[in-house]
């Protein structure tokens, strides 16, 4: 019964989150465009599905992914196995990114545009190889980014200087990378921080910072996502330099 109440509460919150979007669409459709909504029944049914999907997703995160991420981080910290913690961090970043649907879509589109622009051969094999290389570059970079973020938590390094240094590297690489890869590289930083990566990586950081003495979960537990957005931009630009 308690779980059912929590689920209903999560559903109400999901509807509240979607309400501003619904109001904006209704305002522009009815007031600005002054046209009736097409297929009202279909739209309402779709909205219901969105609310249900968002509800179950958020509820599942709170019930499953956040606790397991925090508990595994705490277990590694208690055992004092830095090596296995680093291996786990890399595998977590790599695994969640390589399966990210948004990254798959961006990689496939980039390969198609590169083929049309004459950068690679207009064959399925070449485009698939280019897309796979792009996905691997991003996934490896996110894995290394999570390792770097975990090291920051362990050592207590200031995040602002690391982020500033990283973006200086991005700016420098932008001057040398091929023009056609720059936009893809910048977008790659965004598509890595999506539905599965964010909750697991955040739980990892918070759980680790909560276990280590002298670390504040609020100050040290967050920031891993920033590294996961930063490094892919650099790696994809390097990939663009050597892939063609």
């Amino acid at each position: 019964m308690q779980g059912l109440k929590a689920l209903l509460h999560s559903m109400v919150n999901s509807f509240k989150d979607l309400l501003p979007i619904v109001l904006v669409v209704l305002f522009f459709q009815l007031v600005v465009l002054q046209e009736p909504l097409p297929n009202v029944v279909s739209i309402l049914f779709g909205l219901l599905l969105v609310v249900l999907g968002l509800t179950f997703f958020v509820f599942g995160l709170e019930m499953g992914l956040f606790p397991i991420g925090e508990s595994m981080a705490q277990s590694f910290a208690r055992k004092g196995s830095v090596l296995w913690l680093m291996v786990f961090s890399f595998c977590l970043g790599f695994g969640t990114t390589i399966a990210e649907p948004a990254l798959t879509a961006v990689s496939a589109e980039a390969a198609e545009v590169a083929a049309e622009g004459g950068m690679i051969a207009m064959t399925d094999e070449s485009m698939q190889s280019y897309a796979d290389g792009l996905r691997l570059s991003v996934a490896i970079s996110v894995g290394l980014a999570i390792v770097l973020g975990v090291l920051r938590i362990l050592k207590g390094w200031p995040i602002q200087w690391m982020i500033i240094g990283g973006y200086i590297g991005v700016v420098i690489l932008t001057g040398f990378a091929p023009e056609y890869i720059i936009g893809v590289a910048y977008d790659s930083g965004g598509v890595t921080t999506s539905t599965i990566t964010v909750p697991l990586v955040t739980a990892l950081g918070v759980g680790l910072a909560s276990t280590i003495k002298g670390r504040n979960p609020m100050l040290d537990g967050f920031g891993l996502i920033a590294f996961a957005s930063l490094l892919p931009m650099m790696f994809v630009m390097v990939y663009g330099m050597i892939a063609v």
Side-chain angles (χ1 to χ4, degrees):
M1 199 65 185
Q2 227 173 5
L4 182 59
K5 286 183 179 179
L7 182 62
L8 290 174
H9 180 69
S10 180
M11 187 177 297
V12 172
N13 287 336
S14 297
F15 179 75
K16 288 180 180 178
D17 292 338
L18 288 172
L19 189 58
I21 303 174
V22 174
L23 293 177
V24 167
V25 171
L26 287 176
F27 174 78
F28 279 94
Q29 182 72 27
L30 301 178
V31 178
V32 178
L33 297 177
Q34 297 183 351
E35 295 181 1
L37 287 172
N39 304 319
V40 177
V41 176
S42 176
I43 291 175
L44 290 176
F45 182 67
L47 181 62
L48 175 63
L49 293 180
V50 171
V51 171
L52 290 175
L54 186 59
T55 299
F56 285 116
F57 175 70
V58 174
F59 196 69
L61 290 181
E62 295 174 350
M63 182 180 290
L65 290 187
F66 277 121
I68 194 172
E70 290 186 16
S71 65
M72 290 188 73
Q74 291 168 357
S75 298
F76 278 117
R78 281 194 298 267
K79 287 186 177 181
S81 177
V82 177
L83 175 62
W84 281 113
L85 177 60
M86 294 299 141
V87 172
F88 170 70
S89 302
F90 178 83
C91 292
L92 180 68
F94 181 90
T96 54
T97 304
I98 199 69
E100 178 59 54
L103 177 60
T104 303
V106 169
S107 299
E109 190 68 23
E112 185 176 341
V113 173
E116 291 175 355
M119 273 71 79
I120 60 176
M122 183 67 82
T123 62
D124 291 339
E125 293 79 8
S126 295
M127 288 190 290
Q128 187 63 49
S129 175
Y130 186 86
D132 290 344
L134 193 59
R135 288 177 63 202
L136 280 173
S137 298
V138 175
I140 291 171
S141 68
V142 173
L144 293 176
I146 304 306
V147 170
L148 183 61
V150 168
L151 270 176
R152 182 192 73 84
I153 296 174
L154 295 177
K155 300 293 185 181
W157 295 333
I159 187 173
Q160 61 269 27
W161 297 114
M162 299 178 71
I163 296 297
I164 290 172
Y167 276 107
I168 290 174
V170 169
V171 172
I172 293 172
L173 282 173
T174 302
F176 294 95
E179 290 185 358
Y180 72 88
I181 203 67
I182 293 175
V184 177
Y186 280 36
D187 283 347
S188 297
V191 298
T192 57
T193 53
S194 191
T195 52
I196 301 300
T197 307
V198 170
L200 278 173
V201 170
T202 302
L204 171 67
V206 172
L208 194 59
S210 302
T211 307
I212 300 174
K213 290 183 180 180
R215 297 291 176 267
N216 186 325
M218 200 65 198
L219 297 177
D220 302 303
F222 295 91
L224 292 177
I225 303 302
F227 291 109
S229 300
L230 177 60
L231 258 65
M233 292 189 280
M234 303 174 70
F235 272 61
V236 171
M237 282 190 277
V238 172
Y239 175 73
M241 296 179 194
I242 64 177
V244 180

